[in-house]
Amino acid sequence: MIFSSLTFLFAYLPLTLAVYFLTPLRWRNLVLLLVSLFFYGWGEPVYITIMFLSILIDYTHGLLVEKHRANDKKARWFVGQSVVFNLLLLGFFKYWDFLAANLSLLPGVRLPQLGIPLPIGISFFTFQTMSYTIDVYRQDAPVQRNIVNFGAFVTMFPQLIAGPIVKYKTVAAELDRRVHTTEDFALGARRFTVGLAKKVLLANSIGALWETCLAAQGAGTLTAAGGWMGLLAFGFQIYFDFSGYSDMAIGLGRIFGFRFNENFDYPYLSASVTEFWRRWHMSLTSWFREYLYIPLGGNRGGTAKTLRNILIVWFCTGFWHGASWNFILWGLYFAAWLILEKYVLRGVLRKTPAFIKHLYTLIVVFVGWGIFAMEDLGVCGKYLAACFGGAPLWSAADGYRLRSYAVTFLALILASTTLGKRGWQHLPDRAQKVLTPVLMALGLVVCTAYLVDGSYNPFLYFRF
């Protein structure tokens, strides 16, 4: 079940809200746990057992870390057990077939590929539960003694399957006691509606163009202009798809009394690749910085160790996204650019005009999206070669596609900037109060009509 589905919007969500707010406060975490398990089990009931196992392991290990705090060696041992369990869980379901296929290329090695379907959201909830025991050990978060409350944290359906990655310490106080207000409900509903519109009206509208351009490459008719049009299409699709989902998750969290951290901050306004990664999927970059980069030593210990740490983190970032060589290459591609900006281009970028810096960043990022999108590296190489002069410059089909998507591209560009937000903030309070319910109702009606009429409604981050 995805947020941008009629089943979720008109059956699951209304019933969940009714049951949740009719339940006394002391039982609401139990309700949240049960409805979240139902949500997760809607498509894959068998994998609820994995969820129960993850809850039990990390809940008990949090208690063990707290119990043996005076014995640092033993406490670290239990933290290590929790981390190893989560990594083994993620590794088996997500990476076994990839490792088996590649290791079997070695002489004398034959490992079976199991073909086990990937549990939805496993990359997200394993990182969340892993950080819990680490934070308890560091005394950055209190231990949770109520297994229902902990289970509600792990399974919380707004952010369960695609983030943002919510650290336990962010919501620890709200799990034990939170206040529900009509203002929070209204703000959450508005944020959810904005996210729904970004996903349905923007991401879905441009996604088909990317598939068309990719098909043109397969047919040998891709031009340089068509290649760049496709990269732009995919870059906009993944941004509005994922940031829209994050908006919906943050909005739902607010409705249920939780304040999740922001996950996107207009990344396509960035003037460097380094800045882009401060604005894109901020919960993931924050997680890797806090739980991998800094423990490895960060930028302490000299240039060689800093380079090593950057490469390790970005190898893991790429591999986290998928069990395929293109994701590893994508991670190392950005590692290379971040290293260049840190040690070679810093002075150059400081003197470069803002427009040029912005253009450079977008070119690097959108080429990166090409690597990210195409798992077949042969196809990827040919596609990017076409973009950089290995194909005719233009065709009549490109003109037709550009005319067909011109308005959509304009809407995507404007929505990627702060123009709309700044314009809204300049409206008088009275105008905002009048327009908000009108625009929300209109947005829901248009999105519903789109979902009823259209069959193209993918969600890109489900596979992660």
Side-chain angles (χ1 to χ4, degrees):
M1 193 187 312
I2 60 175
F3 293 168
S4 57
S5 68
L6 297 175
T7 302
F8 178 85
L9 292 172
F10 296 103
Y12 176 86
L13 184 58
L15 288 173
T16 294
L17 291 174
V19 172
Y20 180 83
F21 284 105
L22 288 173
T23 300
L25 283 172
R26 66 181 181 276
W27 299 111
R28 286 185 180 175
N29 280 344
L30 177 60
V31 170
L32 190 57
L33 171 62
L34 294 176
V35 298
S36 296
L37 288 171
F38 179 83
F39 175 85
Y40 189 75
W42 178 262
E44 298 177 322
V46 66
Y47 287 140
I48 289 180
T49 56
I50 298 174
M51 194 68 66
F52 280 128
L53 184 61
S54 184
I55 291 169
L56 184 62
I57 292 291
D58 290 297
Y59 170 74
T60 55
H61 278 71
L63 293 175
L64 288 168
V65 170
E66 181 69 14
K67 179 181 178 180
H68 297 283
R69 184 172 301 284
N71 186 337
D72 186 67
K73 184 177 181 180
K74 189 170 283 189
R76 288 167 66 92
W77 169 250
F78 288 120
V79 172
Q81 283 186 351
S82 171
V83 169
V84 168
F85 166 78
N86 283 287
L87 291 178
L88 287 175
L89 187 68
L90 181 60
F92 176 73
F93 283 99
K94 188 167 185 175
Y95 301 109
W96 174 263
D97 282 0
F98 173 79
L99 294 173
N102 284 279
L103 290 175
S104 294
L105 297 175
L106 298 174
V109 178
R110 291 293 179 269
L111 295 174
Q113 296 184 47
L114 304 178
I116 299 174
L118 180 67
I120 294 173
I122 191 170
S123 297
F124 290 91
F125 70 74
T126 50
F127 269 34
Q128 290 183 175
T129 56
M130 198 189 320
S131 67
Y132 164 71
T133 50
I134 297 172
D135 285 341
V136 170
Y137 171 76
R138 293 175 174 177
Q139 299 188 53
D140 289 340
V143 69
Q144 178 56 258
R145 301 186 184 280
N146 186 318
I147 194 169
V148 170
N149 290 0
F150 184 73
F153 158 70
V154 175
T155 64
M156 201 182 304
F157 79 89
Q159 46 77 56
L160 173 61
I161 56 176
I165 297 172
V166 178
K167 300 165 189 169
Y168 176 78
K169 60 187 176 184
T170 304
V171 296
E174 293 164 343
L175 278 168
D176 292 331
R177 181 181 297 177
R178 56 189 178 275
V179 177
H180 301 85
T181 67
T182 54
E183 181 183 10
D184 279 340
F185 191 101
L187 288 172
R190 185 175 75 181
R191 185 68 179 270
F192 178 87
T193 306
V194 170
L196 181 67
K198 287 167 71 173
K199 161 69 180 124
V200 174
L201 303 182
L202 296 178
N204 287 3
S205 295
I206 199 63
L209 177 58
W210 160 245
E211 294 188 0
T212 299
C213 294
L214 191 58
Q217 192 281 323
T221 59
L222 185 69
T223 63
W228 281 104
M229 209 180 304
L231 293 181
L232 289 172
F234 182 80
F236 280 125
Q237 182 190 12
I238 196 169
Y239 171 57
F240 287 106
D241 184 274
F242 192 22
S243 70
Y245 195 97
S246 293
D247 285 340
M248 289 187 276
I250 292 168
L252 288 171
R254 191 73 175 264
I255 289 171
F256 288 100
F258 296 95
R259 304 290 182 96
F260 300 158
N261 291 333
E262 294 296 329
N263 211 22
F264 291 87
D265 182 22
Y266 300 98
Y268 289 153
L269 295 181
S270 303
S272 69
V273 177
T274 304
E275 182 185 355
F276 175 83
W277 283 108
R278 293 193 189 111
R279 293 170 172 259
W280 178 280
H281 202 348
M282 295 186 290
S283 65
L284 180 66
T285 52
S286 170
W287 197 99
F288 273 114
R289 182 175 61 251
E290 186 171 347
Y291 298 105
L292 184 58
Y293 183 67
I294 293 175
L296 284 171
N299 55 8
R300 306 183 305 275
T303 301
K305 288 186 177 180
T306 300
L307 292 174
R308 178 204 65 183
N309 296 341
I310 292 172
L311 289 170
I312 290 173
V313 166
W314 282 93
F315 173 88
C316 293
T317 300
F319 206 30
W320 178 89
H321 280 86
S324 176
W325 286 109
N326 71 301
F327 293 115
I328 294 173
L329 179 61
W330 175 79
L332 295 177
Y333 167 84
F334 276 109
W337 281 107
L338 291 168
I339 290 169
L340 281 171
E341 288 191 352
K342 186 175 182 67
Y343 293 105
V344 180
L345 300 177
R346 180 184 295 179
V348 176
L349 289 173
R350 194 178 295 121
K351 300 173 184 177
T352 303
F355 173 76
I356 301 299
K357 288 192 292 187
H358 182 60
L359 181 62
Y360 141 78
T361 303
L362 291 179
I363 291 172
V364 171
V365 168
F366 280 92
V367 169
W369 287 136
I371 300 170
F372 186 93
M374 292 174 275
E375 292 190 13
D376 187 322
L377 293 180
V379 171
C380 179
K382 292 175 182 177
Y383 190 100
L384 294 178
C387 293
F388 288 97
L393 181 63
W394 179 266
S395 72
D398 296 326
Y400 171 77
R401 291 172 192 140
L402 187 59
R403 290 191 298 273
S404 300
Y405 285 94
V407 174
T408 303
F409 269 124
L410 179 61
L412 293 165
I413 292 168
L414 292 176
S416 300
T417 71
T418 59
L419 184 63
K421 182 179 180 179
R422 288 187 284 117
W424 178 262
Q425 291 173 342
H426 279 90
L427 291 175
D429 290 344
R430 183 177 179 83
Q432 290 184 17
K433 289 179 180 179
V434 172
L435 287 174
T436 294
V438 173
L439 292 175
M440 284 177 62
L442 181 63
L444 287 172
V445 168
V446 174
C447 287
T448 301
Y450 190 101
L451 292 172
V452 169
D453 184 60
S455 59
Y456 185 80
N457 187 31
F459 178 55
L460 301 183
Y461 264 70
F462 253 28
R463 58 178 171 168
F464 308 130

